[in-house]
Amino acid sequence: MENYLFDRETLGQFIDELMNKRTIPVESADELGNFRESQIKALDDRITNSLFGRLTESQITQLNQLLSNDEQDPDVFQKFFEDCNIDVNNVVSESVQS
């Protein structure tokens, strides 16, 4: 199973909505499942790259320390990004719209 920065179920719901609005170039249920998974991964990658691309080297070091401490509390990460003056919701919205 892949690791995702954002909740996989939420990403999947968004992808499902997009897939319902357009024709998908697949011929079987397996292809549809693979296409869906690739789109979820691509969306997560786009959001991740946009989010981390806004961090300085120092901020990346701080984030790596949180991750190496196996930090699990979402509030800690929310505070981290707030302290970095990064509006995660805005970054996600921009990434989804692009």
Side-chain angles (χ1 to χ4, degrees):
M1 168 110 348
E2 293 280 338
N3 288 324
Y4 295 94
L5 178 63
F6 292 92
D7 177 60
R8 187 188 168 287
E9 185 175 321
T10 302
L11 294 171
Q13 289 171 352
F14 180 78
I15 293 299
D16 290 343
E17 287 179 32
L18 290 177
M19 288 173 54
N20 286 332
K21 293 179 181 178
R22 63 182 181 135
T23 304
I24 308 301
V26 298
E27 296 182 19
S28 70
D30 284 342
E31 286 182 11
L32 181 62
N34 290 337
F35 179 80
R36 180 179 184 270
E37 287 302 315
S38 71
Q39 295 304 301
I40 290 171
K41 178 75 173 123
L43 177 58
D44 187 68
D45 289 347
R46 188 176 322 133
I47 294 168
T48 300
N49 290 336
S50 181
L51 189 61
F52 294 145
R54 297 167 192 248
L55 296 174
T56 66
E57 288 295 322
S58 173
Q59 292 166 334
I60 290 171
T61 299
Q62 292 172 356
L63 181 60
N64 282 333
Q65 288 173 339
L66 289 175
L67 295 170
S68 64
N69 291 336
D70 291 327
E71 182 59 59
Q72 300 289 321
D73 184 358
D75 293 336
V76 171
F77 291 101
Q78 181 176 349
K79 180 168 178 5
F80 169 80
F81 285 107
E82 286 173 1
D83 291 347
C84 294
N85 294 317
I86 295 174
D87 182 342
V88 174
N89 291 328
N90 189 44
V91 172
V92 170
S93 292
E94 288 174 0
S95 298
V96 167
Q97 293 174 4
S98 64

